[in-house]
Amino acid sequence: MAAGGRVYNDSNMTVILQNEGIPCSSEALETLLMSSSSPTFHGSSSMVSFEDVRRGKTPDRSFFRPLEQQDNGDEDLDECFHQPGKKRRLTTDQVQFLEKSFEMENKLEPERKVQLARDLGLQPRQVAIWFQNRRARWKTKQLEKDYEALRAKYNNLKADYDNLVKEKEKLKTEVLSLTERLLLKEKEKGNSGTSDVNKPSDLQPQKPIPDSTSEERESEVPIVHVVCKQEDISSANSDILDSESPHYTDAGHSSLLEPADSSHIFEPDNSDLSQDEEDNLSRSLFPSVYYFPKLEDAVYSDLPAHSCNYGFPSEDQALWFWSEL
DNA sequence: CCAGTCAAGAGGTCCC
DNA sequence: GGGACCTCTTGACTGG
């Protein structure tokens, strides 16, 4: 490596030491070189706790250096004379100390910076840079975590959505077969000679007179209003579904959805819906954009007045329809 | 201070 | 074994 190939002489030593802010008299040099091989620091530096460091028990800024000397006997030379442009890794203990400090508070006040620098034998600038980098890398990690969490959430929601789509299909099939049965029954009735079989009122429950409040609410929700007013058989079907399968009503959706969380809003799957575009049932079931809460979260008991139930209890609607059978 | 970037250093793998 | 190459980590710098 490059470090191995470095050649030092007295002159560049002096320059380097001055760059490092180390007094560079011949005695100082000697002291540094001596201390590097001094048995005083040859034990693990962990023998002196960081608490001691905080209390000022550490002898001087060279405390953390010997770790490198343990790794490589030549490191001390490198450490003392390394070129100013060259990057030096912090020792494990220095990093641990900084990490602990970072855990306690990831911002660095000037006083703390100076104190840390003194404790670790680093330049305050180095400490500042270390904290900056640490914050940046912590943020990156945090973003990764957040991304993973969001992805998991998305997968759950997608699974819920898929289940709902399946359930919708099932219910659709069910409604179709029931409708067929109903029509068949009506046909049989007609054949038996009853006169007013084909009146729409026979197929549909009498629309009750809405009270003033429900009237007002209807006007607030034009899309649903229009859908609910469809005076055909599928309208009746939608009433049944609304009462029996509250998952698709908008009852309580606003309170169940987290605000500003677009992951809860599903655009209709066009590929799914377009396969049966004439199906009024689908249209009445799904407004252009629909929301659905998690099944277990849904509050089915308090349907709003505009949720296709004409302001009547859903059980009654079911009765209107089934009483005709 | 942050985001983006550079570059040194260290570890791993492959090939001769 | 060791050199070449690659990748990742991390200290340092820069511009906003």
Side-chain angles (χ1 to χ4, degrees):
Chain A
M1 279 276 162
R6 260 181 254 151
V7 178
Y8 299 102
N9 57 39
D10 280 345
S11 60
N12 64 20
M13 268 187 206
T14 309
V15 170
I16 291 159
L17 288 173
Q18 279 168 350
N19 261 312
E20 293 289 303
I22 300 170
C24 215
S25 64
S26 56
E27 300 90 72
L29 253 181
E30 201 172 317
T31 311
L32 279 164
L33 291 171
M34 287 290 286
S35 71
S36 70
S37 58
S38 162
T40 314
F41 298 118
H42 271 186
S44 161
S45 55
S46 62
M47 289 165 68
V48 180
S49 72
F50 289 119
E51 283 305 309
D52 290 341
V53 174
R54 279 205 196 84
R55 293 186 200 115
K57 288 187 184 173
T58 41
D60 56 36
R61 55 168 291 178
S62 61
F63 168 68
F64 289 105
R65 301 294 173 173
L67 255 199
E68 290 179 4
Q69 293 159 15
Q70 292 170 0
D71 296 334
N72 182 344
D74 293 334
E75 288 274 332
D76 53 343
L77 284 173
D78 257 11
E79 183 59 30
C80 185
F81 306 128
H82 82 264
Q83 291 163 4
K86 294 286 175 186
K87 200 167 77 178
R88 300 297 303 169
R89 294 220 163 199
L90 305 181
T91 68
T92 317
D93 282 356
Q94 281 173 323
V95 172
Q96 275 178 8
F97 192 68
L98 287 165
E99 288 286 357
K100 279 215 164 62
S101 189
F102 182 83
E103 268 175 37
M104 289 190 292
E105 174 65 59
N106 71 350
K107 297 269 174 162
L108 195 59
E109 301 83 26
E111 291 171 24
R112 196 156 142 255
K113 176 169 67 182
V114 173
Q115 182 61 42
L116 274 171
R118 201 181 303 143
D119 289 347
L120 294 169
L122 296 171
Q123 297 293 320
R125 177 162 175 75
Q126 280 180 291
V127 176
I129 288 172
W130 188 91
F131 266 74
Q132 267 181 31
N133 285 325
R134 188 67 182 77
R135 276 194 295 271
R137 276 142 204 170
W138 178 83
K139 198 176 173 184
T140 308
K141 283 230 166 69
Q142 204 60 31
L143 278 173
E144 282 170 13
K145 273 188 191 170
D146 288 351
Y147 170 75
E148 282 307 316
L150 275 174
R151 203 172 64 168
K153 210 171 174 182
Y154 166 78
N155 286 337
N156 285 341
L157 280 169
K158 191 168 183 310
D160 283 350
Y161 172 76
D162 290 342
N163 285 337
L164 284 169
V165 168
K166 275 183 202 154
E167 196 181 343
K168 183 202 89 180
E169 287 303 322
K170 208 178 107 188
L171 289 168
K172 212 163 93 176
T173 317
E174 204 176 325
V175 164
L176 282 175
S177 73
L178 287 170
T179 307
E180 272 173 28
R181 273 178 57 191
L182 175 66
L183 289 173
L184 213 68
K185 199 119 185 170
E186 292 299 329
K187 214 174 176 182
E188 281 172 11
K189 262 190 186 176
N191 288 343
S192 68
T194 317
S195 57
D196 52 356
V197 177
N198 288 324
K199 279 187 179 174
S201 59
D202 288 328
L203 290 177
Q204 295 221 337
Q206 274 255 311
K207 190 177 171 187
I209 302 161
D211 60 31
S212 60
T213 51
S214 65
E215 191 74 36
E216 279 165 20
R217 285 184 201 157
E218 277 184 14
S219 63
E220 288 167 18
V221 192
I223 297 173
V224 179
H225 177 83
V226 168
V227 169
C228 294
K229 292 270 184 177
Q230 286 179 338
E231 303 247 334
D232 58 12
I233 195 121
S234 67
S235 171
N237 288 343
S238 77
D239 286 348
I240 294 164
L241 282 176
D242 281 347
S243 61
E244 293 189 344
S245 179
H247 315 151
Y248 295 105
T249 69
D250 55 356
H253 71 75
S254 59
S255 63
L256 291 161
L257 290 173
E258 292 168 20
D261 187 347
S262 61
S263 68
H264 288 186
I265 302 169
F266 289 87
E267 296 286 336
D269 186 347
N270 289 334
S271 62
D272 182 34
L273 296 179
S274 65
Q275 66 187 351
D276 198 1
E277 281 181 350
E278 292 88 354
D279 191 344
N280 287 328
L281 175 63
S282 292
R283 268 184 261 149
S284 58
L285 281 176
F286 294 99
S288 58
V289 174
Y290 50 97
Y291 308 79
F292 36 83
K294 275 187 151 186
L295 293 178
E296 61 268 29
D297 292 343
V299 181
Y300 302 134
S301 53
D302 55 352
L303 291 168
H306 59 259
S307 64
C308 296
N309 63 357
Y310 299 117
F312 278 73
S314 53
E315 312 86 61
D316 293 349
Q317 299 172 56
L319 283 174
W320 301 335
F321 185 82
W322 295 118
S323 63
E324 292 296 310
L325 290 176

